Structures are given as C-alpha cells and as structure tokens.
Amino acid sequence: MSKLPAISGRECIKALEKKGFYFKRQEGSHIILRRDNPYAMVVVPDHKELDRGTLRAIIRQVNLSVDEFVKLL
C-alpha cells in the first residue's frame, strides 16, 4: 500500500474526473462531484492541501484503493 500524497483539492478533483466524476455544484469552498453510473456523490474541499484523513475518506467513498487513486494523479 502506497503512502497518501499531499495534494490540493483541485488535484483530487482532476483525478476523480478521470473516473467519471463531474462538477455538480459548489457551496463555499466545498465542491460537489457526481458520477452517474454507478451513482456516487462526493464532496471535495477546495483547499491548498487536503488533510490525510479527508483524502482517505474521499478515496473510500468512491470505492478506490490508495494505489488506484495514486495512479490517477
């Protein structure tokens, strides 16, 4: 298992877009992404650096492993 990288919210969004997510809406600094098939919705904070726990939760919500996510970056 690879170590979680220190990335920004924008970098996380770019990686998730490669898995079929798209911009749904934004509330303040939180960007809501959605994927239609299979349905999933995830909230990504638009911060300069995501906390490791937040990033791990996002990865878990979209049913990816850390290694799969790192390959998307």
Side-chain angles (χ1 to χ4, degrees), residues 21-41:
F21 283 85
Y22 60 91
F23 177 86
K24 180 72 173 166
R25 68 181 189 275
Q26 182 169 353
E27 295 179 17
S29 66
H30 291 81
I31 298 170
I32 292 92
L33 301 176
R34 182 176 169 183
R35 179 179 64 196
D36 292 326
N37 195 10
Y39 177 81
M41 200 159 70

Side-chain angles (χ1 to χ4, degrees), residues 10-73:
R10 296 284 174 162
E11 291 171 316
C12 179
I13 290 168
K14 286 180 185 175
L16 292 176
E17 285 175 343
K18 294 177 185 175
K19 286 302 269 187
F21 283 85
Y22 60 91
F23 177 86
K24 180 72 173 166
R25 68 181 189 275
Q26 182 169 353
E27 295 179 17
S29 66
H30 291 81
I31 298 170
I32 292 92
L33 301 176
R34 182 176 169 183
R35 179 179 64 196
D36 292 326
N37 195 10
Y39 177 81
M41 200 159 70
V42 65
V43 178
V44 179
D46 186 18
H47 297 161
K48 288 183 181 177
E49 186 174 332
L50 295 176
D51 289 335
R52 300 215 188 270
T54 303
L55 182 57
R56 190 172 301 278
I58 290 169
I59 293 170
R60 193 177 306 126
Q61 286 175 10
V62 297
N63 294 323
L64 291 175
S65 70
V66 174
D67 293 329
E68 291 171 329
F69 182 78
V70 170
K71 287 178 186 174
L72 293 174
L73 293 176

